[in-house]
Amino acid sequence: MIIDVEPLAQKLKKEINEKIKSLKVRPKLVAVTYKPDDSTVSYLKSQQKFANKFNIEYEILELTFPENIFKILKELSNDKNIHGIFLTHPLPEIDEMEALININPEKDVEGRHPYNLGMLMYGNENFAPCTAEAVVKILEEITDIIGKNVVIIGRSSTVGKPLSIMLLRRNRSATVTVCHTKTKNLEMLTKNADIVVAAAGKPNLITKHMIKENTIVIDVGINVVDNKIVGDVSKDVSNIANVTPVPGGVGKITTLLLIEHVVKSAEKIYKNLNK
Ligand SMILES: NC(=O)c1ccc[n+]([C@@H]2O[C@H](COP(=O)([O-])OP(=O)(O)OC[C@H]3O[C@@H](n4cnc5c(N)ncnc54)[C@H](OP(=O)(O)O)[C@@H]3O)[C@@H](O)[C@H]2O)c1
């Protein structure tokens, strides 16, 4: 079965629109990029269109010289008219961590700043990484997570690792296993899981024989195969398990959560300026 995320998407859209209506300021998001590849350019364009639908101002700042990035991020961080800063990934020639720490954590709408990732360790999810948060929101809509065996495939700082922390939080209390390229016998682990989250970026990594019946499978992967976007989970898995679609699954919720973070940030910054 395919998991339909549309009801969750509609609920989030409604909440975002209601919040925007009550705002006294137009939220503004700035995307900072350097030497973007084709997929980054098309991603930014579609993000811009999406933000504009919510009446969010969206500026793309393409840097000419990488050495300017720290100064620019600091300036954007201090600009009271900017509420969210989005840093594209990968950033050639630039140390991403060095760049991230120049962003004001209050404008880190992607939840990538070490401050926000550190806050996650203490259960504070004010700005959680959007994709990890999207997986959690989808799971919370469709199942009770407490006590479930969750196998996450992928240990990146933006998806796998923060997701594991979020699922361990006491109100979710999942038993979490995080896998990576050195994990032995992945199939044994996925077969014993109640929930599998595939975030490896490898098409067809998860096949039918690796999953037991009725497992919830969240497909985070985005891969281009024969000019088509596919996830990490092969098509036939949905014959026996419940799988999120790609495209139109985790990605859809991730984009909405980014918008929600910008709105939240705009509300907070405006309030603080007008105390
Ligand atoms: N839907 C969305 O909104 C969204 C958002 C972000 C990312 N994504 C997609 O999600 C995928 C993962 O993104 P990411 O940024 O987390 O990627 P990443 O930084 O490349 O991390 C990939 C992780 O998967 C592990 N891995 C790769 N091949 C594996 C295999 N055969 N078996 C077990 N583990 C394996 C890697 O292990 P090692 O650590 O050992 O190398 C690594 O930990 C990508 O396809 C990306 O495009 C989707």
Side-chain angles (χ1 to χ4, degrees):
M1 212 185 85
I2 298 290
I3 297 168
D4 183 9
V5 303
E6 197 48 35
L8 173 61
Q10 289 304 329
K11 193 165 93 179
L12 287 170
K13 272 184 198 166
K14 195 168 167 248
E15 284 169 9
I16 293 168
N17 280 322
E18 274 166 14
K19 250 198 189 159
I20 288 178
K21 264 192 223 153
S22 69
L23 283 182
K24 293 190 175 65
V25 62
R26 185 179 179 203
K28 179 170 179 179
L29 174 62
V30 177
V32 179
T33 189
Y34 175 64
K35 289 190 179 170
D37 55 19
D38 289 349
S39 70
T40 304
V41 171
S42 80
Y43 180 66
L44 289 175
K45 277 186 188 155
S46 77
Q47 203 180 57
Q48 187 170 34
K49 253 192 202 163
F50 196 71
N52 291 159
K53 274 189 195 162
F54 287 93
N55 195 28
I56 288 176
E57 196 179 341
Y58 189 107
E59 186 185 330
I60 299 172
L61 204 66
E62 188 176 339
L63 305 180
T64 332
F65 304 106
E67 54 271 24
N68 286 352
I69 192 161
F70 305 144
K71 190 172 152 264
I72 286 171
L73 290 174
K74 273 191 188 139
E75 281 167 9
L76 295 173
S77 290
N78 291 329
D79 185 335
K80 63 181 174 29
N81 297 312
I82 290 164
H83 309 105
I85 302 169
F86 178 91
L87 205 55
T88 61
H89 164 87
L91 275 175
E93 301 159 42
I94 293 168
D95 181 329
E96 264 185 49
M97 174 59 85
E98 285 296 316
L100 280 171
I101 57 176
N102 286 286
I103 297 177
N104 176 350
E106 291 201 343
K107 299 186 180 182
D108 168 42
V109 286
E110 292 181 278
R112 289 170 66 197
H113 191 287
Y115 173 84
N116 287 318
L117 287 174
M119 290 303 273
L120 268 196
M121 298 291 285
Y122 291 94
N124 181 323
E125 297 177 358
N126 185 40
F127 279 147
C130 300
T131 307
E133 192 179 357
V135 174
V136 169
K137 289 235 184 266
I138 292 171
L139 287 175
E140 285 179 336
E141 274 298 290
I142 59 174
T143 191
D144 180 10
I145 302 170
I146 294 177
K148 296 275 163 68
N149 284 326
V150 183
V151 169
I152 301 171
I153 305 153
R155 56 173 160 183
S156 71
S157 306
T158 44
V159 189
K161 270 191 272 188
L163 176 61
S164 68
I165 303 295
M166 292 172 84
L167 291 173
L168 284 173
R169 212 177 125 164
R170 282 197 183 272
N171 64 330
R172 302 194 184 103
S173 283
T175 302
V176 185
T177 306
V178 183
C179 306
H180 44 77
T181 52
K182 303 291 183 288
T183 298
K184 287 183 185 150
N185 210 343
L186 186 62
E187 184 179 333
M188 185 194 78
L189 297 167
T190 53
K191 260 200 167 138
N192 279 311
D194 303 305
I195 297 168
V196 172
V197 180
K202 293 282 173 291
N204 293 318
L205 176 68
I206 305 299
T207 54
K208 205 166 136 185
H209 71 274
M210 296 169 75
I211 300 289
K212 67 176 187 237
E213 270 186 34
N214 297 322
T215 304
I216 292 172
V217 182
I218 307 292
D219 193 352
V220 179
I222 298 179
N223 311 289
V224 180
V225 176
D226 297 333
N227 285 324
K228 277 194 187 146
I229 292 181
V230 299
D232 289 355
V233 179
S234 56
K235 282 254 172 290
D236 58 0
V237 176
S238 64
N239 294 336
I240 58 153
N242 303 299
V243 189
T244 56
V246 177
V250 175
K252 188 184 253 184
I253 304 301
T254 301
T255 313
L256 281 164
L257 289 173
L258 180 78
I259 298 292
E260 194 216 32
H261 289 180
V262 180
V263 174
K264 192 157 80 175
S265 165
E267 190 180 27
K268 194 169 171 202
I269 290 168
Y270 181 85
K271 263 191 195 154
N272 285 342
L273 284 170
N274 294 281
K275 261 183 191 166

